[in-house]
Amino acid sequence: MSRFKRAEVDSLAGFRTEKAEQTVPYGLLKAARKSGQLNLSGRGLTEVPQNVYRLNSDTPEEAQQNVSFGESDHWWEQTDLTKMLLSSNQLTHLSDDIRLLPALTTLDLHNNQLSNLPSALGELQELQQLRLSHNQLKSLPVEVCTLRNLRSLTLQQNLLESLPEELGQLENLTDLDLSNNHLKTVPSSLSCLTCLQNLNLSYNKISCLPDNLGQLTNVKLLDCSNNQLTDIPASLSQMLAMEQLYLRHNKLCLLPKLPAPMLKDLYLGNNQIEQLETEQLACLTAISLLELRDNKIKSLPEQITLLSTLARLDLTNNDISTLPASLSLLPNLKVLLLEGNPLRGIRRDLLTKGTNELLKYLRGRLKEDPERADEGHTAMTLPSQARVNLHHIKTLKLLEYSEKQVSNIPDEVFDAAADQGVTTVNFSKNQLTSIPSRLVEFQSSMSDVNLGFNRLTCCSPDICKLLQLTHIDLGNNPLSDYHRMNDDLN
């Protein structure tokens, strides 16, 4: 009776051992030998089975069997494993046996429970993508920094407090994501990653960026949101390829000076910016989106019109009390957000009607007081005592000389716009009896002409020389031969 009981206990123990052993279906391994890819994501693995590490080392089972030369799959034609996906498991460690898969180019370990990495990882010299996000890593082994072919390294959502100075050795890296960690600084060697195009440092505790960060001249996207930055190094002005810059939720007091000719999107919400300076605005020559919400801005300078490419301006929750009417002159502005500002002189219902209605209202203010829009350093007084807005010529490519009641446009007006690539001309509400002959000087660039409300009786054939012309306004003129004018234009 006792012998029976002992046998029963031993049987259960063997059963438990067999159940705890994790294996990968044979068919999956066989397919991986043929394709060079193995997907083990979301299988509840607590460790990588040994037969996975030895996939290209051990002789396959089919080698022990009788095989026919007529079979389509021959075991000796196996391919080295190049891509292994182990994401969304419960892995707590990775064995040094990972070195047995030296042909790997992609290794995906994201969303596991890894707290450390084996030094053998540095032997995977063909590795191009290493995904380690959403783990519990507190440090990055120096050996990872020897992976010279690495292109993409994702480490977001870990517990990293520091990075090895050797990180700068990853000279071919194009994408680096270090967001959502505990970093207080980043190594100065980061500037050696000259192939980098996307760098994400958001959601850390970084108080300052390396002064030499500007050496990353190929970076297109830089995200430093949700840190503790009080200033931006001047060297960032050297990052001429940058198209998107995220600086939300920091402690910046000034708009950074960023002469980046490619910068299209700049996010500066939730900082402590109080003033927009002309010098900084003038640098944003290609800006399309400017987010300044939740700051302490009190006013907008007239020079906001320097941002001729701006399409979206978010000024939500600031301290702005008045708006410059010149804001309506921004030719590409489609979205203007102003909720949460103590604006005076603008009805609240007007704000709720949307951007178009608000800009229409501001244009109305310009018409009521047109001289005011010319105040400052952008107006030029000509010998004829006429005023020409040089700022509009340079930034908006607009030559405006309207409501002067003159019979001839002074040569000085055309001289002021010479070689500026003017696309729009407004000579309306004057006393012109003929179309100014010098308009042909803009034939390679001008697309829109307004000659309405003059005393024109006919249309000059010179109009036909304006090769880029798409719109001409001749309304409210005493034209005597409309059909002849159409013949001339055709």
Side-chain angles (χ1 to χ4, degrees):
M1 191 74 177
S2 61
R3 283 196 299 273
F4 176 77
K5 287 182 179 179
R6 279 198 298 274
E8 184 178 16
V9 171
D10 291 340
S11 175
L12 288 173
F15 177 75
R16 289 193 193 97
T17 302
E18 184 178 353
K19 185 177 180 180
E21 185 179 353
Q22 293 182 315
T23 59
V24 175
Y26 169 72
L28 204 58
L29 295 179
K30 182 179 178 181
R33 288 193 183 98
K34 182 178 179 180
S35 67
Q37 301 184 13
L38 180 59
N39 187 349
L40 297 175
S41 299
R43 288 180 169 268
L45 298 176
T46 56
E47 62 181 10
V48 180
Q50 193 64 28
N51 58 349
V52 171
Y53 290 126
R54 305 192 64 82
L55 181 69
N56 295 137
S57 304
D58 291 345
T59 304
E61 288 183 19
E62 57 263 41
Q64 313 298 329
Q65 304 169 2
N66 292 324
V67 293
S68 163
F69 285 102
E71 291 186 6
S72 59
D73 294 329
H74 302 303
W75 64 266
W76 58 84
E77 292 178 345
Q78 69 176 358
T79 300
D80 286 340
L81 195 66
T82 59
K83 184 174 184 178
M84 184 159 66
L85 309 181
L86 290 162
S87 63
S88 301
N89 282 292
Q90 300 171 27
L91 303 177
T92 56
H93 71 283
L94 197 65
S95 168
D96 275 330
D97 287 336
I98 191 69
R99 61 163 60 96
L100 299 176
L101 299 169
L104 281 177
T105 60
T106 297
L107 179 57
D108 188 349
L109 292 160
H110 86 267
N111 196 24
N112 278 285
Q113 299 173 23
L114 298 172
S115 57
N116 55 65
L117 296 170
S119 58
L121 207 58
E123 297 182 35
L124 306 182
Q125 285 297 306
E126 299 301 316
L127 208 57
Q128 296 181 18
Q129 293 190 52
L130 181 55
R131 303 169 189 163
L132 296 165
S133 64
H134 295 82
N135 277 286
Q136 299 174 21
L137 300 173
K138 293 184 179 180
S139 62
L140 188 67
V142 173
E143 288 79 7
V144 170
C145 302
T146 66
L147 300 174
R148 298 299 175 88
N149 287 307
L150 204 60
R151 302 289 191 276
S152 175
L153 177 58
T154 54
L155 284 159
Q156 68 268 32
Q157 292 283 354
N158 275 284
L159 304 172
L160 297 173
E161 296 184 357
S162 63
L163 295 168
E165 192 67 32
E166 290 81 0
L167 189 68
Q169 296 175 12
L170 299 174
E171 54 192 24
N172 288 307
L173 205 62
T174 60
D175 295 274
L176 177 59
D177 194 337
L178 295 164
S179 61
N180 289 277
N181 278 284
H182 299 160
L183 298 173
K184 294 182 180 180
T185 61
V186 290
S188 60
S189 64
L190 202 66
S191 64
C192 299
L193 306 179
T194 54
C195 290
L196 209 58
Q197 295 183 14
N198 299 295
L199 175 58
N200 193 340
L201 298 170
S202 63
Y203 290 90
N204 278 286
K205 301 176 181 179
I206 301 170
S207 58
C208 65
L209 297 172
D211 288 335
N212 58 0
L213 198 65
Q215 295 177 25
L216 301 177
T217 54
N218 288 307
V219 166
K220 295 181 179 179
L221 185 152
L222 174 60
D223 192 345
C224 297
S225 299
N226 293 81
N227 278 285
Q228 299 175 16
L229 299 174
T230 57
D231 195 12
I232 298 298
S235 68
L236 252 64
S237 63
Q238 301 168 24
M239 301 174 74
L240 301 181
M242 188 155 53
E243 297 178 1
Q244 295 178 295
L245 177 59
Y246 294 80
L247 294 168
R248 292 168 168 163
H249 290 275
N250 278 286
K251 299 178 180 180
L252 301 175
C253 295
L254 294 173
L255 188 71
K257 186 178 179 181
L258 296 166
M262 303 297 291
L263 187 62
K264 294 178 176 62
D265 300 339
L266 177 56
Y267 296 86
L268 286 160
N270 296 90
N271 277 281
Q272 300 171 19
I273 299 172
E274 296 184 5
Q275 185 176 354
L276 303 180
E277 298 182 3
T278 302
E279 185 179 7
Q280 278 76 5
L281 289 175
C283 296
L284 304 176
T285 56
I287 199 73
S288 176
L289 184 154
L290 180 56
E291 184 202 70
L292 291 162
R293 62 173 300 135
D294 294 285
N295 276 283
K296 300 178 180 180
I297 300 169
K298 293 181 173 58
S299 63
L300 295 180
E302 291 283 344
Q303 290 79 7
I304 193 75
T305 53
L306 290 168
L307 309 181
S308 60
T309 57
L310 189 63
R312 182 184 179 92
L313 178 59
D314 189 349
L315 294 164
T316 305
N317 296 331
N318 276 281
D319 298 326
I320 300 170
S321 57
T322 59
L323 291 177
S326 57
L327 197 62
S328 64
L329 296 175
L330 290 172
N332 294 296
L333 190 61
K334 300 294 187 295
V335 179
L336 176 60
L337 303 176
L338 290 162
E339 284 294 323
N341 281 283
L343 289 167
R344 297 195 303 266
I346 297 180
R347 302 191 312 275
R348 184 166 185 80
D349 65 308
L350 189 61
L351 295 176
T352 60
K353 289 181 179 179
T355 301
N356 288 337
E357 288 298 315
L358 181 56
L359 294 180
K360 184 177 179 181
Y361 165 76
L362 292 176
R363 289 189 198 103
R365 276 174 41 188
L366 273 180
K367 291 179 180 179
E368 293 171 8
D369 192 6
E371 289 297 314
R372 186 173 180 180
D374 289 337
E375 290 175 359
H377 300 291
T378 61
M380 170 182 174
T381 303
L382 303 175
S384 61
Q385 296 305 307
R387 296 174 73 84
V388 172
N389 196 312
L390 294 181
H391 167 61
H392 289 175
I393 292 173
K394 292 179 179 180
T395 61
L396 305 182
K397 306 303 178 185
L398 166 65
L399 175 57
E400 188 168 18
Y401 196 75
S402 61
E403 300 187 72
K404 306 297 183 184
Q405 301 302 314
V406 296
S407 57
N408 292 291
I409 305 297
D411 285 336
E412 294 91 338
V413 173
F414 290 99
D415 294 341
D419 301 320
Q420 294 296 327
V422 167
T423 60
T424 304
V425 171
N426 183 3
F427 289 161
S428 64
K429 297 183 181 179
N430 283 297
Q431 299 291 323
L432 302 180
T433 57
S434 62
I435 293 178
S437 60
R438 290 190 64 179
L439 277 178
V440 297
E441 295 177 12
F442 309 129
Q443 61 181 352
S444 63
S445 60
M446 187 167 60
S447 60
D448 193 321
V449 181
N450 187 351
L451 294 167
F453 293 94
N454 276 287
R455 300 176 63 186
L456 303 176
T457 57
C458 64
C459 185
S460 169
D462 287 343
I463 287 293
C464 301
K465 298 178 182 179
L466 303 175
L467 304 180
Q468 304 300 321
L469 190 63
T470 59
H471 179 262
I472 182 170
D473 187 345
L474 294 167
N476 291 281
N477 277 285
L479 296 168
S480 59
D481 195 341
Y482 177 77
H483 295 292
R484 181 181 174 185
M485 180 191 74
N486 277 345
D487 291 340
D488 288 341
L489 291 176
N490 292 327

